[in-house]
Amino acid sequence: MAAPKIILYTNHRCPWAHRAHIALKELGLDYEEVIIDLNKPREPWYLEINPRGLVPTISYNGTIIPESAIVTQLLADAHPSHLAPPSNTPEGAIKRAHISFFVDTFVGKIWSQTFATIRATSDEDRNTGTEALVAAIEKNDLGGLLYPPGSGSGPFFHGSDHITLAEALTGSFLLRLLSFHKSQYGLLGAELPTLLEKRAPKFYSWAQAVVAQESVNYIWDEEEVGKATAAKVKSLAKV
Ligand SMILES: N[C@@H](CCC(=O)N[C@@H](CS)C(=O)NCC(=O)O)C(=O)O
């Protein structure tokens, strides 16, 4: 198969766009990136490409596809790999369903609580939110979803030795979840690592393994994103 011509419209500070970068790197696909400045209104040429004005959008051999989960899924489908098995066998379809449920749980229950906590305007609310975040990881049994009985012995989803679509769709959020408690950002409670280690050890060691992968962290600039996020939260609190 000829290498596809890929253009990714993106911004490295965006965790949703970051999903596509992880998949592209894992699949070893070359791509051109066009950085969209999110600090100013979208220009008409980009609104023609994506009327929602959001990143990411991909141009795959000239076909335009928006929305991070759809872009990432397209890449995994078009380039069969370790990310996800083909869906045309019952086993492959079931594995994909497990990945989808895990990602749905992560985004709906864990990231949503993380995002709410990041926007807290007092230390008290931040600490309450951090506790609720760890409680959500426990209650939704993220450890059990990651490593059900019969899993392999690797560190990734279902004990895989390498990153899967589950990690491609969650890794960018894990980078934030594992760094925003640091005092220079102050976006999550400082005790988060201790709480995770004690109450969600499987989730915590999985998350640490994920963020250590080059495919996950090659576009990540912690200081830039942490400081920009802290500044944004502060400006929103003043409104
Ligand atoms: N559901 C979208 C969310 C993408 C999204 O919210 N992107 C943000 C940046 S992180 C964006 O483009 N915001 C531009 C704006 O709101 O003006 C996806 O998964 O692709």
Side-chain angles (χ1 to χ4, degrees):
M1 184 171 77
K5 164 103 178 103
I6 295 175
I7 305 171
L8 183 65
Y9 301 88
T10 182
N11 185 294
H12 288 191
R13 285 189 191 169
C14 173
W16 305 100
H18 194 148
R19 291 169 144 183
H21 290 272
I22 298 173
L24 287 162
K25 185 78 160 180
E26 280 292 320
L27 295 169
L29 294 169
D30 287 334
Y31 63 101
E32 180 190 327
E33 66 176 13
V34 176
I35 303 288
I36 303 300
D37 184 348
L38 299 177
N39 290 322
K40 55 182 200 194
R42 290 319 86 76
E43 292 178 28
W45 68 265
Y46 188 61
L47 292 174
E48 258 176 51
I49 287 174
N50 181 348
R52 295 185 186 180
L54 303 175
V55 291
T57 307
I58 203 168
S59 168
Y60 187 92
N61 283 336
T63 298
I64 298 291
I65 306 284
E67 280 295 317
S68 63
I70 301 171
V71 168
T72 309
Q73 185 79 54
L74 162 75
L75 292 168
D77 285 341
H79 301 274
S81 74
H82 57 278
L83 287 181
S87 59
N88 61 355
T89 67
E91 295 75 25
I94 287 169
K95 176 58 82 75
R96 280 174 174 249
H98 283 147
I99 291 175
S100 296
F101 183 71
F102 175 79
V103 174
D104 182 81
T105 306
F106 180 88
V107 174
K109 307 290 184 189
I110 312 306
W111 179 247
S112 60
Q113 181 57 49
T114 310
F115 190 66
T117 307
I118 286 169
R119 295 166 69 109
T121 50
S122 70
D123 284 348
E124 194 189 344
D125 286 353
R126 193 169 305 98
N127 289 336
T128 307
T130 300
E131 163 59 35
L133 164 58
V134 178
I137 296 170
E138 286 178 304
K139 180 173 171 221
N140 291 284
D141 191 21
L142 272 283
L145 294 179
L146 281 167
Y147 306 112
S151 289
S153 57
F156 301 114
F157 190 74
H158 286 196
S160 169
D161 289 328
H162 41 65
I163 279 199
T164 72
L165 189 56
E167 282 86 10
L169 290 170
T170 53
S172 54
F173 302 101
L174 295 173
L175 285 161
R176 289 153 174 83
L177 202 155
L178 293 194
S179 58
F180 280 3
H181 67 280
K182 295 181 186 171
S183 57
Q184 62 269 42
Y185 316 126
L187 291 162
L188 295 170
E191 73 285 15
L192 179 59
T194 314
L195 294 176
L196 288 174
E197 181 124 51
K198 216 187 282 171
R199 289 166 45 192
K202 285 187 192 168
F203 173 85
Y204 189 38
S205 57
W206 168 75
Q208 287 172 307
V210 174
V211 301
Q213 294 296 299
E214 200 209 339
S215 60
V216 174
N217 63 39
Y218 74 109
I219 64 156
W220 172 241
D221 184 335
E222 178 190 299
E223 196 178 329
E224 191 198 317
V225 177
K227 287 191 172 158
T229 307
K232 178 123 192 232
V233 167
K234 221 180 221 174
S235 75
L236 287 174
K238 281 192 196 134
V239 176

